Amino acid sequence: MQYLDNVIFLILLIAGFGLFGKSLLKIYRNIRLGREINRSDRKSERWETMARVAMGQSRMSARPVAGILHLFVYVGFVIINIELIEIIVDGIFGTHRFLATIFGHTFYNFFTATLEVLALLVIVGVVLFFIRRNFYGVKRLTMKELFGWPKNDANWILIIEFALMMAFFTMNSSDFILQQRGVLAAHGSFPISEMTLVPFLEIFSFDNIFLEIVERGAWWFHFIGILFFMNYLYYSKHLHIILAFPSTWYANLDLYGKFNNLESVTKEIKLMMDPNADPYAAPAEGAEEAPSKFGAEDVFDLNQVQLLNAYSCTECGRCTSVCPANVTGKKLSPRAILMKTRDRLEEVGRNIDKNGKFEDDGKKLLNDYISKEELWACTTCNACTQACPILLDPLSIIFEMRRFLVMEQSAAPQELNLMMTNVENNAAPWQYNQADRLNWAKD
Amino acid sequence: MDFTIKTMADYAAEGKSPEVLFWVGCAGSFDDRAKKITKAFCKILNKIGVEFAVLGQEESCTGDPAKRAGNEFVFQMMAMTNIEVLNAYEVKKIVTACPHCFNTLKNEYPSLGGNYEVIHHTQFLKELMNEGRLKIEGGSFKGKKITFHDPCYLGRANDEYEAPRMLLEKLDAELVEMKRCKTNGLCCGAGGAQMFKEPEKGKKDINVERTEEALSFEPKIIATGCPFCNTMLTDGVKHFNKNHEVEVKDIVELLAEAEDL
């Protein structure tokens, strides 16, 4: 019976990480449903971008208030996870504050004190975020597209983080009192706990056994809470804490103005313009097959980076708040484009889970999730991509879907059809004669 | 025009090649308002003796609006035709007063076989100024309030924010920045082929939103660097009945005015 704790701990640990791994594999499988895209060029630039944008948070400063609060939570989260190593070792081997033996007295004191300060900053961050999100009325955080799960999800994240930090302080405070009483060996320094919870707990003059239960309780809560939170990520927009890294690594490094040229079209046009080409020739042996589709109608037609983007979006709405179409009241919201892409991809994933492979469900990303009206409202100005703190690219999805509408369905608005006909026939978007191009010089 | 505009064909006939090809663009060729921008630019180049040519009847739409509407076929057809012409004349350097042409020629033509040095007219004028070939004195603009609207396809798409501002500073005017400027700039509403269709339903039109912001600074002039922005903001100013008080002008027009051209 002596090792019951350790066994339970180990089982929970393995189950928690196992489940999490399973979720990650599912995400990986879903992302791979998309078209392949070569984004492993310019490696050093990619590492640099990831370090600067994802680790260095370089884009968060554009909104200073949210930026600084986010920094509190981010730095706190990253460093407090070192604590997780200690929890795991202590849990498996039944030690107490294992890192103290490795770090030595002075450094361990410094370490625990730093964690306390960071934990306090995390609490400040999440409390202010909660107020800002629910009572302050920041427009991008109270828009209609967030009603329901997205809004609740955001609040749950904040509540869980708050609870985890409180458990951390409760654990430290009871530990500190027990250390003072000589029940536990003295390890660590807890300045914040000493100032806040310790005096509060002292009022009640709890006995040692009660405090030990509190300390262990908070420890277990903290541990199980972390496992829970980790597994919650899969269902949450909070996946960005992991996927921001690959998303920034695989980000588009070209200038915003450069849209890709479809190679399959280039081949066709070259053939068309080549006077020696035989239009009836059979394709050469081993020639690549023409792509089944131009543009994107469903998630399968998007590329893997676009699908990764959909999972990485944390729905902060910076993109939508700068979108000229959205700020003037049109239906388009770049954030909603990513959210809907993820919703559809998840639906496809569930379909595969159920049937073993994707069975046609009569739905598509286009029309069933994203309407033409949204797609046609985009001015391709790139304000959304410029605003995204983790370099996601909702515009590329809009663009691919427009390509599908125009090249597969001929479903452009009538005025655009006119414009395109003019370009094709008169070499200008208006119906002027190409021979009149230099008339201005004669005026 | 009181001087002759030469074409690439003219130069080729003389066995010469110009310093730079001026890509006029569809708006610059056909739109009555944009034609004034085209002429102003030509006057400046002519005055300082830059040897330039246009393609004239051999120029076609770059394909930008078709591409952004999603029609890759029409885009590439235009692009390939243009590239054949440009390569036949062995064009090295292209300047254009339209950020959409600029972006497409610069970023999307290379992978189709069209590699040129492509610059926006504000960049070219800045270059000429740095070389000492262009001198601007801004007498008539002294102290006038000017605000500059960043074209998306020059600014955000191609990271050029400084060239237009540097030219405006030479006018000795009082340059005021809108809150949404540079990387935070707001689109005029014309990009992505929106110029050619009615906007989707909303609370207001994008050009009205943008003009409202510009007018809130009570400028004398709203400066632009794009024929489409120019049209959108001109319409916006008319919407607010301010067209007798506020002018919408391309930077090159302001420079030509300062030089009394």
Side-chain angles (χ1 to χ4, degrees), chain A residues 168-210:
Chain A
F168 179 71
F169 280 122
T170 310
M171 176 182 90
N172 281 353
S173 301
S174 44
D175 195 1
F176 177 78
I177 300 173
L178 290 169
Q179 291 184 15
Q180 293 280 303
R181 294 184 189 170
V183 180
L184 289 171
H187 289 308
S189 152
F190 312 102
I192 308 292
S193 294
E194 269 183 70
M195 279 188 287
T196 53
L197 274 185
V198 169
F200 177 75
L201 288 175
E202 298 273 34
I203 298 172
F204 300 99
S205 330
F206 293 122
D207 60 15
N208 290 349
I209 295 176
F210 182 80

Side-chain angles (χ1 to χ4, degrees), chain B:
Chain B
M1 303 290 290
D2 45 13
F3 56 94
T4 319
I5 302 291
K6 286 168 77 175
T7 61
M8 285 305 288
D10 295 336
Y11 273 95
E14 293 170 22
K16 290 199 292 188
S17 57
E19 184 180 336
V20 64
L21 166 68
F22 172 29
W23 186 278
V24 183
C26 301
S29 304
F30 295 121
D31 181 272
D32 283 336
R33 176 67 189 85
K35 278 198 251 180
K36 292 183 185 162
I37 302 170
T38 305
K39 288 181 193 170
F41 185 52
C42 289
K43 282 177 187 167
I44 292 182
L45 295 185
N46 181 59
K47 168 150 191 259
I48 55 179
V50 175
E51 290 210 316
F52 72 96
V54 298
L55 279 172
Q57 297 177 5
E58 289 184 279
E59 189 186 283
S60 301
C61 173
T62 58
D64 163 83
K67 173 152 194 138
R68 305 242 163 220
N71 198 331
E72 187 76 6
F73 278 104
V74 171
F75 163 70
Q76 289 201 15
M77 245 150 52
M78 288 297 121
M80 302 271 199
T81 317
N82 283 322
I83 288 169
E84 277 198 5
V85 173
L86 291 167
N87 288 352
Y89 284 120
E90 295 178 2
V91 169
K92 301 267 178 310
K93 187 170 181 176
I94 304 176
V95 61
T96 174
C98 173
H100 295 270
C101 298
F102 163 69
N103 178 70
T104 303
L105 292 167
K106 174 170 169 273
N107 294 322
E108 281 154 18
Y109 276 30
S111 75
L112 300 172
N115 293 288
Y116 323 100
E117 183 196 345
V118 186
I119 52 175
H120 187 241
H121 67 319
T122 57
Q123 295 173 322
F124 189 51
L125 292 170
K126 180 183 152 191
E127 219 173 79
L128 294 172
M129 205 174 274
N130 289 341
E131 287 165 10
R133 291 167 75 184
L134 174 66
K135 291 184 187 66
I136 296 290
E137 274 163 49
S140 60
F141 292 99
K142 202 160 191 165
K144 272 193 189 169
K145 216 187 245 183
I146 301 183
T147 189
F148 176 62
H149 162 81
D150 284 288
C152 302
Y153 274 87
L154 178 66
R156 206 179 281 114
N158 286 289
D159 249 336
E160 180 58 83
Y161 302 104
E162 283 324 301
R165 287 182 170 76
M166 182 202 148
L167 294 172
L168 286 172
E169 274 160 25
K170 296 281 176 203
L171 295 174
D172 282 339
E174 185 194 340
L175 195 57
V176 286
E177 293 287 3
M178 288 185 258
K179 191 171 168 237
R180 287 179 283 192
C181 66
K182 300 182 183 170
T183 52
N184 294 320
L186 182 78
C187 175
C188 70
Q194 298 292 341
M195 180 75 186
F196 305 99
K197 66 184 249 303
E198 284 300 313
E200 274 59 32
K201 264 207 321 246
K203 284 185 307 221
K204 58 169 121 168
D205 288 347
I206 295 171
N207 65 328
V208 170
E209 166 90 9
R210 186 49 165 169
T211 313
E212 200 173 8
E213 182 176 6
L215 291 176
S216 71
F217 293 94
E218 299 182 337
K220 276 268 163 252
I221 297 160
I222 301 172
T224 61
C226 170
F228 296 106
C229 296
N230 195 305
T231 304
M232 296 308 264
L233 294 173
T234 304
D235 287 352
V237 170
K238 277 183 200 148
H239 174 92
F240 290 105
N241 280 321
K242 293 274 185 190
N243 41 328
H244 300 295
E245 297 147 55
V246 184
E247 289 182 300
V248 180
K249 290 237 160 133
D250 193 275
I251 290 173
V252 80
E253 292 181 287
L254 299 175
L255 297 182
E257 236 173 83
E259 291 297 289
D260 232 356
L261 294 172

Side-chain angles (χ1 to χ4, degrees), chain A residues 147-364:
Chain A
F147 287 4
W149 172 245
K151 187 182 164 76
N152 297 337
D153 179 23
N155 282 333
W156 277 120
I157 293 160
L158 296 173
I159 291 166
I160 296 169
E161 283 174 352
F162 181 79
L164 284 176
M165 290 307 113
M166 288 313 288
F168 179 71
F169 280 122
T170 310
M171 176 182 90
N172 281 353
S173 301
S174 44
D175 195 1
F176 177 78
I177 300 173
L178 290 169
Q179 291 184 15
Q180 293 280 303
R181 294 184 189 170
V183 180
L184 289 171
H187 289 308
S189 152
F190 312 102
I192 308 292
S193 294
E194 269 183 70
M195 279 188 287
T196 53
L197 274 185
V198 169
F200 177 75
L201 288 175
E202 298 273 34
I203 298 172
F204 300 99
S205 330
F206 293 122
D207 60 15
N208 290 349
I209 295 176
F210 182 80
L211 285 174
E212 275 178 69
I213 293 171
V214 170
E215 196 274 338
R216 282 296 90 187
W219 186 89
W220 278 100
F221 182 91
H222 192 71
F223 168 66
I224 294 171
I226 288 171
L227 291 184
F228 171 78
F229 195 39
M230 194 165 75
N231 280 291
Y232 173 78
L233 291 184
Y234 174 64
Y235 304 94
S236 162
K237 72 192 191 98
H238 215 46
L239 259 181
H240 82 283
I241 63 171
I242 301 166
L243 297 186
F245 294 90
S247 260
T248 47
W249 201 87
Y250 286 111
N252 174 24
L253 297 177
D254 290 330
L255 285 167
Y256 289 137
K258 182 178 176 180
F259 288 24
N260 68 333
N261 291 325
L262 281 183
E263 274 171 46
S264 48
V265 174
T266 314
K267 270 184 230 149
E268 294 286 320
I269 306 236
K270 280 198 172 139
L271 204 64
M272 216 168 73
M273 290 173 74
D274 180 3
N276 302 317
D278 173 6
Y280 304 109
E285 198 75 22
E288 279 175 66
E289 263 181 77
S292 50
K293 232 181 246 178
F294 294 115
E297 179 188 27
D298 208 344
V299 286
F300 308 99
D301 313 319
L302 292 170
N303 70 47
Q304 295 172 353
V305 173
Q306 289 166 326
L307 299 184
L308 169 66
N309 279 189
Y311 271 121
S312 312
C313 174
T314 199
E315 302 164 11
C316 70
R318 284 166 169 78
C319 52
T320 293
S321 73
V322 295
C323 172
N326 193 276
V327 298
T328 54
K330 289 152 189 84
K331 270 200 186 138
L332 173 63
S333 158
R335 164 171 62 186
I337 297 287
L338 286 172
M339 290 169 70
K340 289 169 182 177
T341 304
R342 177 172 174 174
D343 289 347
R344 172 62 182 159
L345 186 56
E346 291 270 272
E347 184 181 56
V348 166
R350 284 193 298 275
N351 183 317
I352 294 174
D353 289 341
K354 201 173 130 215
N355 303 315
K357 65 178 178 57
F358 181 69
E359 301 272 349
D360 189 13
D361 58 357
K363 287 202 229 169
K364 301 277 187 220

